[in-house]
Amino acid sequence: MIPTIQKLASTLMTPGKGILAADESESTMSKRLTSIGVQDNTENGRRFRDLLFTAPDVEEYLSGVILFDSTIRGMSNSGEHFGRLLERKGIMPGIKVDKGLQPAPNFAQEEISHGLDGLRERLDEYYQLGARFTKWRSVIRITNDLPSDTILRANAHILAYYAAIVQEKHMVPMVEPEVLFEGTHTLERSGEVLHKTLKYVFEELQAFRVSLSGLVLKTSMALPGSESGIAINPMLVARETVRVLKDVVPFSTAGIVFLSGGQTPIQATENLNAIALLGNLPWPITFSYSRALEEPVLEAWKGLDANTDVAQKALLHRLSLNVAARKGAYKKEME
Ligand code: 13P
């Protein structure tokens, strides 16, 4: 029997697990490789993904992995499609389907995600390749004057239209309006922008009759800007984030996952832990990190097969800490 999208969404939110966002575009992957002094070619990106997905018992920690177009088509060292390999391990393959950002005409410094053209056809193909959930990311920058209402609305509208199409194709849309960490803003300003962003997104989702119990919100945490000079205090981050989420995210939403957005791996774990510790959340929460999971793995790997073991251990260690944080059981000593 084909599982309903509601069942798929609750499987993604399985207690004790989280999601790995391994959906970097080729250009982002090439930056990651360059950062550890490894030649930035497609093969090295493929080897890195192989290392991540074949880490022993990684399925104990992961309910899903988000892939990029070339990765879902790519092959593991053992000659199996990555999507199939994940499926066999009981990890749900997901796929990033937006085609990146384009400058918004007439609105300097703001961008709109594109990729709706031909989306239905692409989804049919991804479904065949094993994908059961999708991701669409839009980006919201904070300055004194940004974001503008017009572009915030436009992105919310597109996210909702995308989500409706994905549900029509029996997949779970992950809806990701990323409010950027970069900037000089305060925690309060971040909370204010996050509030408005999510308010618009859920208004549009409801207008498009999207089933919220078959949808996962991927959100930023409310954080003081990375160039603000303000220290990150996990308790304050958690309070502001949860205040905003409780105010605007309907309780029928299947789950909320967090992106790491440029926080260090430890900050991302500490903040998730502080959010879970506040308790009484009406939706399941977990992590859907890319950088905060992959950075220590890249550092340990350095492109060498001889380091595969230690790099996989670094991944499993980070995953175990975040799984603990998801239920508020993380302690600094566990690092
Ligand atoms: P980061 O955790 O590195 O922010 O990536 C998550 C993601 O999926 C961004 O789209």
Side-chain angles (χ1 to χ4, degrees), residues 70 87 144 155 198 326:
S70 54
E87 216 176 38
N144 286 341
N155 275 311
L198 295 179
R326 170 192 171 156

Side-chain angles (χ1 to χ4, degrees), residues 20-24 32 66 96 98 135-137 174 176 178 218 258-263 288-293 295:
L20 167 66
D23 60 335
E24 298 87 354
R32 303 267 187 276
I66 316 174
K96 169 189 165 81
D98 67 82
K135 179 186 111 173
W136 184 290
R137 171 177 179 254
M174 184 180 270
E176 183 189 12
E178 176 172 355
K218 178 160 176 164
F258 293 96
L259 59 97
S260 59
Q263 301 175 64
S288 174
Y289 296 157
S290 175
R291 282 166 285 179
L293 286 171
E295 267 170 23

Side-chain angles (χ1 to χ4, degrees), residues 52-64:
L52 297 173
F53 307 159
T54 62
D57 299 329
V58 72
E59 61 274 20
E60 301 293 320
Y61 302 107
L62 290 178
S63 57

Side-chain angles (χ1 to χ4, degrees), residues 2 15 35 39-40 47 50 56 63 77 81 83 94 116 124 139 157 174 183 196-197 227 277 281 283 311-312 327:
I2 300 175
S35 76
Q39 206 183 357
D40 67 333
R47 288 172 61 231
D50 188 274
S63 57
N77 291 349
H81 270 114
L116 287 172
D124 287 337
V139 168
H157 187 78
M174 184 180 270
K196 196 170 195 185
T197 301
E227 290 108 54
L277 275 178
L281 304 176
W283 348 255
Q312 289 182 327
K327 53 177 184 181

Side-chain angles (χ1 to χ4, degrees), residues 47-188:
R47 288 172 61 231
F48 181 61
R49 266 61 175 258
D50 188 274
L51 174 166
L52 297 173
F53 307 159
T54 62
D57 299 329
V58 72
E59 61 274 20
E60 301 293 320
Y61 302 107
L62 290 178
S63 57
V65 171
I66 316 174
L67 303 166
F68 188 68
D69 179 81
S70 54
T71 311
I72 202 169
R73 298 170 196 286
M75 297 274 195
S76 69
N77 291 349
S78 60
E80 190 177 15
H81 270 114
F82 281 132
R84 295 283 165 238
L85 182 153
L86 293 169
E87 216 176 38
R88 185 169 52 70
K89 288 190 147 201
I91 301 173
M92 201 187 297
I95 180 80
K96 169 189 165 81
V97 298
D98 67 82
K99 291 194 166 182
L101 307 168
Q102 288 190 341
N106 304 328
F107 289 83
Q109 288 193 73
E110 289 189 279
E111 292 163 310
I112 298 184
S113 312
H114 72 122
L116 287 172
D117 279 1
L119 180 58
R120 277 194 173 84
E121 293 70 26
R122 288 194 289 133
L123 291 175
D124 287 337
E125 196 193 353
Y126 290 139
Y127 193 93
Q128 294 305 322
L129 291 166
R132 292 294 178 271
F133 76 104
T134 65
K135 179 186 111 173
W136 184 290
R137 171 177 179 254
S138 45
V139 168
I140 296 101
R141 184 178 308 283
I142 307 181
T143 68
N144 286 341
D145 316 314
L146 300 180
S148 71
D149 228 48
T150 305
I151 303 305
L152 205 53
R153 274 260 181 236
N155 275 311
H157 187 78
I158 292 169
L159 275 167
Y161 183 35
Y162 137 82
I165 295 176
V166 170
Q167 289 191 339
E168 178 194 283
K169 294 292 181 184
H170 297 288
M171 290 189 247
V172 176
M174 184 180 270
V175 166
E176 183 189 12
E178 176 172 355
V179 175
L180 291 180
F181 179 29
E182 286 89 45
T184 56
H185 48 273
T186 61
L187 172 65
E188 293 66 30

